[in-house]
Amino acid sequence: MDSYGFLADSYDQLTADVPYEKWADYLERQFRRWAVPGRTVLDLACGTGSLTAELARRGYEMIGVDQSADMLSVAAEKCRGLSDQPPIFLQQPMEKLDLYGTVDACVCCLDSVNYVTRPAALERAFQRVHLFLNPGGLFVFDVKTPEALAAADGQVFLDETEDTYCVWRGEYAPKRRVLSYGMDLFRLQGDGSWRRGQEVHREFAYTLEELEEFLCRAGFVQVRQWGCLKLCAPRPGEERVFLTARKGT
């Protein structure tokens, strides 16, 4: 069972509660705080491109990268005719990031970092981001904490729209530090029947200390931790934490 194959066409409906405008507001605050040197931004693991589109509407030159062709297809259609310079989309895994040039900032949102379930691959991804950032460029990403992933063990979650029904179950393996959740989706067809699809998603429980070490080894400087969508340190027990790191000038 693949991830984000059958789900791609229903992803936006099932995540309609994600406040992408607030996420873009937050990213812009970080850009201003760190004086990002330009307006070319890489949206790494961009998914269906909702955040890519929001930043493009604000005048940023966007590049969206994702390893799912199905998600990128939705993203490209969403951003068609959006601006005079529409986003460029590339199908690549994070650890094999290969751009045509450099960017001023890279964002990686909605716990996409957790989806890289091999630490060595994530460290390579950080190295590739560092390589393609301009001097003084900023890397911003969020991560679900190990406590948040462990808390999903045994939980059953339901999402429902007019034409989609989704149920997923979490199973956390402490020794492997991996949360696996099987997803069953039912989508209403034009003839009134329902089509079933199944996917498996996995997220790795990285500690904040590990992530900071990976960033420093990749060459980043001024590594900082932030509360969820806040410009202050994370509070104890916070389930989602942001990190920023700069490329030296």
Side-chain angles (χ1 to χ4, degrees):
M1 290 179 286
D2 194 11
S3 295
Y4 295 112
F6 192 80
L7 177 62
D9 287 337
S10 299
Y11 183 83
D12 286 344
Q13 291 177 291
L14 295 172
T15 58
D17 59 335
V18 177
Y20 288 105
E21 290 185 4
K22 289 184 178 180
W23 282 69
D25 289 343
Y26 175 75
L27 294 173
E28 286 198 296
R29 289 199 297 273
Q30 289 284 14
F31 294 166
R32 290 192 294 269
R33 188 185 191 284
W34 295 101
V36 169
R39 297 185 67 83
T40 303
V41 178
L42 167 65
D43 187 1
L44 188 60
C46 65
T48 60
S50 294
L51 185 59
T52 316
E54 182 61 34
L55 290 171
R57 280 191 286 267
R58 300 181 185 209
Y60 293 93
E61 297 178 15
M62 298 300 301
I63 301 171
V65 169
D66 202 278
Q67 67 176 353
S68 169
D70 296 290
M71 299 288 270
L72 287 173
S73 178
V74 177
E77 184 62 30
K78 181 182 298 179
C79 293
R80 192 183 307 277
L82 187 64
S83 63
D84 294 335
Q85 191 165 0
I88 297 170
F89 290 104
L90 303 172
Q91 184 184 1
Q92 298 172 353
M94 288 189 205
E95 66 272 22
K96 295 183 180 180
L97 178 68
D98 190 13
L99 303 181
Y100 303 119
T102 54
V103 296
D104 301 303
C106 173
V107 302
C108 185
C109 294
L110 295 167
D111 48 288
S112 294
V113 161
N114 295 104
Y115 276 84
V116 184
T117 56
R118 293 182 295 113
L122 183 63
E123 189 163 6
R124 285 197 299 272
F126 285 179
Q127 293 167 358
R128 301 300 290 177
V129 170
H130 185 271
L131 175 66
F132 289 106
L133 274 177
N134 284 322
L138 185 69
F139 183 25
V140 186
F141 65 91
D142 67 276
V143 63
K144 282 285 190 72
T145 64
E147 295 77 15
L149 296 185
D153 182 46
Q155 299 294 312
V156 177
F157 300 87
L158 299 173
D159 285 302
E160 185 176 7
T161 68
E162 289 185 358
D163 59 6
T164 303
Y165 181 83
C166 175
V167 56
W168 60 275
R169 299 160 300 280
E171 182 178 341
Y172 185 71
K175 290 185 178 180
R176 294 172 52 227
R177 298 165 59 189
V178 172
L179 171 67
S180 302
Y181 49 95
M183 182 178 292
D184 283 290
L185 297 107
F186 300 85
R187 186 178 301 137
L188 184 64
Q189 306 298 296
D191 60 2
S193 64
W194 289 81
R195 181 186 173 197
R196 181 185 182 185
Q198 294 178 298
E199 297 189 3
V200 174
H201 295 246
R202 297 180 179 88
E203 297 191 52
F204 192 88
Y206 291 100
T207 67
L208 298 177
E209 292 76 19
E210 283 176 316
L211 295 170
E212 288 199 358
E213 184 178 351
F214 291 171
L215 290 166
C216 290
R217 287 209 295 252
F220 285 100
V221 297
Q222 296 177 288
V223 178
R224 300 287 186 273
Q225 297 177 16
W226 309 89
C228 185
L229 297 179
K230 300 181 180 72
L231 291 179
C232 60
R235 298 188 304 271
E238 203 151 3
E239 293 188 348
R240 185 186 300 276
V241 174
F242 278 77
L243 286 92
T244 58
R246 296 191 75 186
K247 183 172 181 174
T249 56

